[in-house]
């Protein structure tokens, strides 16, 4: 079994919003990457943003600045 | 103690080298193996537990792990041929040989943007599977995924590190001007692609 590590997972209600997050973060060199939403989470969209677990404050501020609407943010071992 | 250096070795080489060292002991003793990934640690630990050896492991630094096995008095020499050693996450003898075929940089048809995101997600999810394919074939538009600039290089390299064979069509690399930009795996040709696909027990085409 592959070893799991804690990570911040941000979910969105639409794929469009998830892909907007990816473009936004890449343009600003913000940490993280797009992944399929982990099966432990119920979310509106099947794409989620995975980032280091200590990036919550940085990313929530960035998403507010970028008017990116997110659904939930939590730390999961994935 | 016998010291085994398996740094940089792909599965099942760390297990094979360790088993060979245990045979050299010809009885009780200790074998220390250095590996560079957690999967190898898990494979070695599993092997030790199966054979009743004592085993400890520790991370020495990022990308370097030490596994120490203690073979006790009365342990019978292992007669399993080295080539039959199997791994936790690669197909064992008797299991289906799966080949993944990537013919495009996008998954599905419709929106190109969505298709690219889906393909990245597929390769990420593939890395998370407990049972991995034996080979991944990349051709036509899929050839770009193993080349410089691909957003999936890290995931494909991770698959390669776990023993998955990564092959990209040479004709396709040439057509798209990517021959010098291949960054993971090897160049292959249509004969090998054909052979891999016809001899596979299972073909997965996202």
């Amino acid at each position: 079994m592959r070893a799991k590590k804690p990570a911040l997972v941000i979910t969105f209600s639409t794929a469009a919003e998830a892909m907007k997050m990816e473009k936004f973060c890449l343009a600003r060199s913000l940490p993280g990457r797009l992944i399929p939403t982990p099966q432990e989470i119920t979310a509106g969209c099947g794409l989620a943003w995975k980032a280091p677990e200590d990036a919550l404050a940085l990313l929530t501020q960035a998403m507010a600045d970028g008017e990116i609407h997110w659904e939930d943010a939590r730390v999961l071992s994935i | 103690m016998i010291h085994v250096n398996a740094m940089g070795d792909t599965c099942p080489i760390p297990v094979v080298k360790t088993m060979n060292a245990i045979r050299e002991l010809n009885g009780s003793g200790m074998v220390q193996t250095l590996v560079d990934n957690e999967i190898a640690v898990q494979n070695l630990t599993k092997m030790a537990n199966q054979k009743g050896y004592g085993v400890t492991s520790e991370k020495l630094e990022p990308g370097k792990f030490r596994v120490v096995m203690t073979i006790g008095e009365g342990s019978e020499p292992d007669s399993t041929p080295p080539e039959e050693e199997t791994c936790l996450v690669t197909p064992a003898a008797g299991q289906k040989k799966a080949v993944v075929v990537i013919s495009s940089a996008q998954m599905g048809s419709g929106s190109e943007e969505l298709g690219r995101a889906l393909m990245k997600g597929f390769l990420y999810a593939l890395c998370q599977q407990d049972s991995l394919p034996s080979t991944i074939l990349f051709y036509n538009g899929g050839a770009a995924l193993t080349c410089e600039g691909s957003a999936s290089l890290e995931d494909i390299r991770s698959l390669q590190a776990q023993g998955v064979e990564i092959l990209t069509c040479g004709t396709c690399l040439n057509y798209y001007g990517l021959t010098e930009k291949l960054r993971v795996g090897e160049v292959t040709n249509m004969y090998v692609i054909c052979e891999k696909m016809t001899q596979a027990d299972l073909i997965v085409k996202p």
Side-chain angles (χ1 to χ4, degrees):
Chain A
M1 183 69 68
R2 180 186 55 82
K4 296 187 178 185
K5 298 173 190 171
L8 176 67
V9 178
I10 301 174
T11 59
F12 307 88
S13 56
T14 66
E17 211 64 24
M19 290 189 286
K20 182 179 170 186
M21 174 71 169
E22 182 184 48
K23 276 187 200 162
F24 182 81
C25 289
L26 285 174
R28 288 157 184 76
S29 300
L30 292 168
R33 62 167 293 172
L34 210 58
I35 62 166
T37 302
Q39 294 175 85
E40 297 93 321
I41 303 177
T42 303
C45 162
L47 295 171
W49 189 255
K50 174 186 168 186
E53 56 179 316
D54 59 0
L56 179 61
L58 172 69
L59 291 177
T60 47
Q61 182 61 55
M63 289 188 288
D65 294 342
E67 295 183 13
I68 296 172
H69 304 289
W70 51 285
E71 206 172 55
D72 186 34
R74 64 177 79 175
V75 174
L76 281 182
S77 284
I78 54 173
Chain B
M1 181 186 299
I2 296 181
H3 294 259
V4 174
N5 185 355
M7 298 288 288
D9 289 335
T10 57
C11 178
I13 303 301
V15 172
V16 172
K17 280 185 173 179
T18 303
M19 290 304 300
N20 287 338
I22 291 172
R23 288 191 188 91
E24 275 182 51
L25 281 176
N26 202 24
S28 63
M30 298 174 74
V31 172
Q32 174 189 279
T33 305
L34 295 179
V35 293
D36 58 17
N37 66 89
E38 290 189 27
I39 298 294
V41 173
Q42 291 167 25
N43 283 333
L44 288 165
T45 302
K46 180 188 175 194
M47 181 268 283
N49 289 332
Q50 284 176 341
K51 299 194 189 300
Y53 304 149
V55 60
T56 60
S57 62
E58 64 176 309
K59 182 176 179 178
L60 299 176
E61 60 188 59
K64 190 172 185 180
F65 303 82
R66 172 166 60 203
V67 179
V68 178
M69 290 189 200
T70 305
I71 293 81
E73 296 284 346
S75 291
E76 293 191 7
D78 180 48
S79 57
T80 307
E83 59 272 17
E84 288 186 17
E85 293 299 340
T86 58
C87 302
L88 266 176
V89 294
T90 56
Q95 290 186 2
K96 288 183 179 179
K97 185 163 68 175
V99 170
V100 173
V101 174
I102 308 286
S103 61
S104 170
Q106 303 160 41
M107 183 171 176
S109 52
S111 159
E112 179 181 334
E113 182 187 27
L114 176 60
R116 288 184 184 280
L118 292 178
M119 182 57 80
K120 279 189 289 188
F122 175 81
L123 290 169
Y124 171 84
L126 192 59
C127 285
Q128 315 301 306
Q129 300 301 304
D130 292 328
S131 180
L132 297 178
S134 58
T135 305
I136 307 179
L137 301 171
F138 294 87
Y139 58 74
N140 207 333
L145 293 171
T146 54
C147 294
E148 179 183 305
S150 164
S152 295
L153 279 181
E154 186 182 330
D155 291 334
I156 299 171
R157 284 174 177 149
S158 170
L159 289 161
Q160 184 185 49
Q162 294 177 74
V164 179
E165 183 180 35
I166 306 296
L167 298 174
T168 304
C169 165
T171 302
C172 310
L173 289 169
N174 177 274
Y175 180 88
Y176 289 113
L178 295 173
T179 306
E180 304 304 318
K181 297 193 176 179
L182 182 68
R183 291 292 176 264
V184 57
E186 296 174 9
V187 178
T188 191
N189 58 62
M190 187 55 75
Y191 297 101
V192 172
I193 289 172
C194 212
E195 177 188 310
K196 295 289 181 184
M197 291 175 80
T198 53
Q199 293 184 4
D201 297 308
L202 172 69
I203 294 178
V204 175
K205 194 166 186 286

